[in-house]
Amino acid sequence: MSDPIVELQNVTKKYILGSNEIYALNKVTLSINKGDFATIMGPSGSGKSTLLNMVGCLDLPTEGIVKINGIDISTLDDDELTAIRRNNIGFIFQQFNLIQALTAIENVEMPMIFNNAPADLRREKALLMFARANLEPEYADHKPNELSGGQQQRVAIARALANDPPIILADEPTGNLDTKTGKSVMDLLSDLNAKGTTVIVVTHDQKLAEYSNMNIRLRDGEVCHGPG
Amino acid sequence: MDLAKSLRSNMYVELARRNLTRHTVRTALAAIGIIIGVIAISSMGILGNSLKLSVSESLGDVGNELIVYPAYGEETITEKQLGQLEKVSGVEYVIPVLASTGKVEYKGEATYGNIYGIEKDNVLQLVEVEDGKIFRAGSSDCVVGANLVKHFGIKVGGKITLKDSQFRVVGILGEAGFGFGISPDQAVFISPQAYEKIYEDQADGYNNVIMKVKSVDDVEIVKTAIEDRLNKREEVVHVLATNSILDSIDDIFNSISLFLMGIGSISLLVAGVSILNVMLMSTMERTKEIGIMKAVGASRKDVLKMFMLEALFLGIAASLIGGVLSLGGGFVVNILILKESSYFFAPSNFLYIIAGVLFGIVTSLVGGMYPAWKAANMRPLDALRYE
Ligand SMILES: Nc1ncnc2c1ncn2[C@@H]1O[C@H](COP(=O)(O)OP(=O)(O)OP(=O)(O)O)[C@@H](O)[C@H]1O
Ligand SMILES: [Mg+2]
């Protein structure tokens, strides 16, 4: 039970705009265990993305400690943070964020390139990830703008899986999709979770909470109901 | 082709190619800057080099002369030393020179000139008589250099006065430019017998001796042979090889080439700035993309590599085009300025094209450095948020 892969202790993120102090996160303490499916919910501006970015090592706390796999990320330099992202974290964004100059399959290969995987192995594995994300292989050589929203998000999921990260982070992954496509994406994430990947999803959608075994509610940068 | 395939499988290379072709016009404009810069540098280098080649060619026939002067502390080259010089092998001719400077008078006017006492056959080996003929041995005839002729307006048959003795001008020399051992343009050539008569108080022996070596390659060998033979016990002669003077002329022209290339490189500098500008624009546009790549695990080094590769490819492509066009540019400049194209085909000119191409590539890399560094150091979250 207590095998935390993500731990936050008194994490505060403060922005200073002019004379205003904005607390995007205010003394947040929580832990997420290996294999959890966590949802983060709350009104707009409550700090959901801020929290997720911090777990994803894209952002560092103003105060407090964030630990990924037991490592305090504030002690790491830029290259070490990059290495953590590369090996431990798969990102899925609301706007898909695919690289337009690359084909679908190349987008999936990209994280493996940064991981120095050999070219032939890369392509083979990218096709495997394609299949796991329920994408037909014939879309492999399409450019992102030639794909539907749901297909693009599945490419993004395949990309997030490329380096076999133990943690998948998704910021409103269904926000730009219709209900049916959104559901298929959530089913996919649920499948991955069933195979052991820790999944953390930010969402507005109350219904999505039913996929999770842990729901974190934020309001004004603070956690309302604790885990469980 | 295997290379093409392996290049394609390297996604950094492929990505650089695609990003460069994404904005064809912009890439082409940046490339034109580099192309012009490379052409400017190469053509200027080729011009300087061709200039050098044309000058060294016109000096070519003095390149194998040795001038033998009395060493420091000695007054003249003695008859005995002259005899020794004549025994040195590999020499085409040995010309003893009696020389002094003095007043030359013509129709009441006077100026200073170089007066030489040289055997008539030897004079003909050194200079060309343009008008008239050479003096007879032992006569009081003389041959006059081009500057003096111009100064006085002398004609063949005129009379000049040297040290109270009258000489009849029988020959006029063409313009010779500069020479070693003698300066023909300001000269009055008379026979050694006449010279000795008017300069009877001068010490015995010769002021210097001009020797022509049969083959340019032997200049050093002959020079050493002379020194070995005459300077055995103490240094009595000093031997000057004109080709060492040519070497310094070479140096001067190399500096000129460098200077011309310096001017050409200003345009390359401008090209570098335009690369910088284009690359900065493209990093700004691709900020979000950089953020995405960093989020999925691109390190600073990876991003740096991506952008530097773009600069490198742009530089290589543009510089090679520039190099090819420089062939034409150098040819045209040679024809316009030297009015001649033959020097253009000298192999040394191609070195300047290679230099131009290398400069072009380096310029692109330098221009791409700051944008690449900027891209590499973007904070991933800021970059991701960028719209
Ligand atoms: N770079 C920033 N500078 C200043 N304030 C910021 C910055 N980033 C976030 N904030 C503020 O922090 C608070 C939390 O933002 P965050 O993006 O985490 O909200 P969110 O819960 O994801 O909202 P949404 O549901 O609309 O995506 C907001 O008030 C926001 O204005
Ligand atoms: Mg958000």
Side-chain angles (χ1 to χ4, degrees), chain A residues 85 99 101-102 106 122, chain B residues 9 15 18 289 294 297 300:
Chain A
R85 281 198 297 273
I99 305 290
L102 298 177
E106 286 167 344
R122 235 157 54 197
Chain B
S9 71
L15 198 60
R18 282 186 213 168
E289 214 169 86
K294 289 195 140 191
R300 280 183 298 192

Side-chain angles (χ1 to χ4, degrees), chain A:
Chain A
M1 161 74 197
S2 63
D3 191 6
I5 193 164
V6 175
E7 270 184 285
L8 278 72
Q9 294 164 14
N10 275 319
V11 169
T12 296
K13 182 74 188 182
K14 185 166 79 176
Y15 290 106
I16 296 171
L17 294 176
S19 56
N20 275 17
E21 287 189 345
I22 295 169
Y23 284 86
L25 290 176
N26 196 359
K27 296 211 170 86
V28 172
T29 298
L30 58 85
S31 74
I32 297 170
N33 290 330
K34 206 171 261 179
D36 273 350
F37 193 123
T39 45
I40 303 172
M41 290 188 175
S44 185
S46 58
K48 306 183 293 293
S49 296
T50 307
L51 176 57
L52 199 74
N53 291 335
M54 219 157 282
V55 173
C57 300
L58 290 173
D59 207 356
L60 291 171
T62 319
E63 270 168 50
I65 293 170
V66 177
K67 284 186 181 170
I68 308 295
N69 264 333
I71 300 166
D72 180 355
I73 64 167
S74 58
T75 62
L76 304 179
D77 66 22
D78 191 271
D79 288 333
E80 290 167 324
L81 288 173
T82 302
I84 293 221
R85 281 198 297 273
R86 190 168 56 226
N87 300 315
N88 294 286
I89 292 164
F91 274 101
I92 300 164
F93 306 91
Q94 182 176 351
Q95 309 93 327
F96 320 136
N97 283 352
L98 299 173
I99 305 290
Q100 297 299 326
L102 298 177
T103 63
I105 196 82
E106 286 167 344
N107 265 286
V108 180
E109 283 181 64
M110 194 171 58
M112 296 188 264
I113 292 169
F114 299 139
N115 219 2
N116 294 320
D120 42 349
L121 202 123
R122 235 157 54 197
R123 181 54 58 105
E124 201 182 309
K125 183 149 182 216
L127 282 166
L128 201 72
M129 296 304 134
F130 240 58
R132 271 225 233 153
N134 292 332
L135 273 163
E136 320 291 331
E138 64 245 42
Y139 294 115
D141 293 325
H142 285 232
K143 287 284 170 68
N145 59 10
E146 298 161 357
L147 298 172
S148 74
Q151 286 166 336
Q152 286 188 58
Q153 194 60 302
R154 276 195 282 262
V155 173
I157 292 173
R159 179 180 67 186
L161 297 175
N163 284 335
D164 302 310
I167 307 169
I168 296 268
L169 302 179
D171 197 344
E172 304 191 38
T174 60
N176 279 350
L177 303 174
D178 62 60
T179 323
K180 190 167 151 268
T181 326
K183 186 177 179 312
S184 75
V185 165
M186 286 310 284
D187 288 339
L188 195 54
L189 290 176
S190 180
D191 274 1
L192 291 170
N193 178 246
K195 289 182 185 116
T197 308
T198 307
V199 178
I200 305 173
V201 181
V202 167
T203 181
H204 277 301
D205 192 343
Q206 205 66 41
K207 277 181 286 180
L208 296 185
E210 67 201 40
Y211 288 92
S212 67
N213 65 333
M214 178 183 185
N215 190 9
I216 300 159
R217 292 189 168 274
L218 288 178
R219 176 176 289 275
D220 296 332
E222 290 179 41
V223 181
C224 301
H225 307 294

Side-chain angles (χ1 to χ4, degrees), chain B residues 214-262:
Chain B
K214 277 182 187 143
S215 152
V216 191
D217 305 329
D218 294 340
V219 169
E220 280 307 311
I221 298 169
V222 173
K223 185 179 179 220
T224 328
I226 294 169
E227 284 164 346
D228 286 352
R229 198 182 274 258
L230 277 82
N231 292 345
K232 228 180 290 177
R233 252 168 296 144
E234 55 175 332
E235 177 145 347
V236 292
V237 297
H238 177 77
V239 187
L240 180 79
T242 52
N243 66 345
S244 70
I245 299 171
L246 289 181
D247 284 348
S248 50
I249 290 175
D250 249 28
D251 286 347
I252 292 170
F253 275 96
N254 285 339
S255 309
I256 291 177
S257 289
L258 221 57
F259 172 71
L260 288 173
M261 284 172 85

Side-chain angles (χ1 to χ4, degrees), chain B residues 281-294:
Chain B
M281 254 157 85
S282 111
T283 49
M284 294 307 275
E285 282 172 359
R286 276 145 65 189
T287 299
K288 174 133 195 184
E289 214 169 86
I290 294 163
I292 296 167
M293 290 193 179
K294 289 195 140 191

